[in-house]
Amino acid sequence: DPVVCCALGILYNKEAVMLGLLNKDLGEAFQHITSLKDVFEVDLVPNPEAHGGGDVQTSGLNVSIARFACPISQLPLNGVYKFVAIKATRAVVSDKAFKEVGSRDECPVTGQKIEGDEIVELAPENVDELRKVILAEKAANKKKSKKRKAVDEVKPKVSGMEAIARRMKVDVEKIEQARQSKEGSDVYKSLFAKPDKKYKNAGELLVAAPGSRSGRLPGV
């Protein structure tokens, strides 16, 4: 099943997150996830030492081990070793391999250049502090969005004439003057009136259209 990671470095089953968002029943600890934009998919590499459901046979005893491991160092993803997830490449590698194999601005799995904010530490010790920061940022952005919406609502509405003038890139007063004059009125009406004449082909239509150049276009 697809696995996703949030900004706190917590891994989830993607389907479970989608259902939680749909039913609006994500727990309090996951209130920082308000849409699928708050998570990104990751590619987990199976641990070569794991068998079946994550158990390994050792001296006749079944010992539970990690199902996934670092694709470079083979260290198990078991909470003991530090791991990072890379948004741009979806890679999940041990922090040790990340430091030893390449620089911090390059994915050690794909070699792709990455930015610092694309690296997310999995299960960090300060997860509670990070959650507070994320929730505060979301609250601030929501407040800004409401304020921007309120400003847009009090802005004067553009009349139909002004909207037409803006699209045609002409002055409203000039349109009004043309509309009031007899000659201009005919021109004004021709911009919006449907032609009574039926045209035989596209060439005749282009020639007769208001504002078009006389004569046929090359190739028509």
Side-chain angles (χ1 to χ4, degrees), residues 52-185:
D55 294 333
V56 62
Q57 191 76 19
T58 304
S59 301
L61 298 175
N62 286 332
V63 180
S64 180
I65 63 172
R67 294 174 55 196
F68 307 103
C70 172
I72 299 174
S73 66
Q74 301 301 313
L75 289 175
L77 180 58
N78 57 6
V80 176
Y81 305 97
K82 286 186 177 182
F83 271 70
V84 297
I86 304 173
K87 291 182 181 180
T89 64
R90 300 172 37 156
V92 176
V93 298
S94 65
D95 190 59
K96 179 181 180 182
F98 198 8
K99 292 177 180 178
E100 292 180 353
V101 175
S103 62
R104 299 293 288 188
D105 61 351
E106 182 178 297
C107 176
V109 177
T110 65
Q112 179 179 323
K113 292 293 182 181
I114 56 178
E115 301 293 336
D117 58 356
E118 294 179 321
I119 305 171
V120 178
E121 181 183 351
L122 299 189
E125 295 180 358
N126 62 336
V127 64
D128 292 332
E129 295 178 8
L130 289 175
R131 183 183 291 107
K132 291 180 181 179
V133 172
I134 293 174
L135 291 176
E137 290 179 351
K138 281 183 170 291
N141 291 335
K142 188 175 182 180
K143 187 176 181 180
K144 289 180 180 179
S145 179
K146 287 184 177 181
K147 185 177 181 181
R148 187 162 47 246
K149 184 178 180 181
V151 171
D152 291 339
E153 289 178 351
V154 299
K155 286 182 178 179
K157 294 184 179 180
V158 178
S159 67
M161 183 72 71
E162 290 176 334
I164 294 173
R166 288 183 181 181
R167 288 197 296 268
M168 298 175 64
K169 295 183 179 180
V170 296
D171 196 306
V172 179
E173 294 182 359
K174 290 183 179 179
I175 289 183
E176 185 62 23
Q177 292 173 2
R179 187 180 66 82
Q180 292 178 357
S181 66
K182 185 177 184 305
E183 181 181 358
S185 180

Side-chain angles (χ1 to χ4, degrees), residues 8-50:
L8 298 181
I10 302 175
L11 300 178
Y12 312 84
N13 179 294
K14 185 177 182 179
E15 184 177 350
V17 174
M18 293 174 64
L19 289 175
L21 291 172
L22 183 64
N23 298 327
K24 298 182 179 180
D25 60 357
L26 288 176
E28 184 177 350
F30 311 111
Q31 293 305 304
H32 61 287
I33 301 177
T34 55
S35 72
L36 287 179
K37 293 181 180 180
D38 295 321
V39 296
F40 60 95
E41 288 195 23
V42 294
D43 296 327
L44 298 178
V45 177
N47 187 348
E49 296 184 359

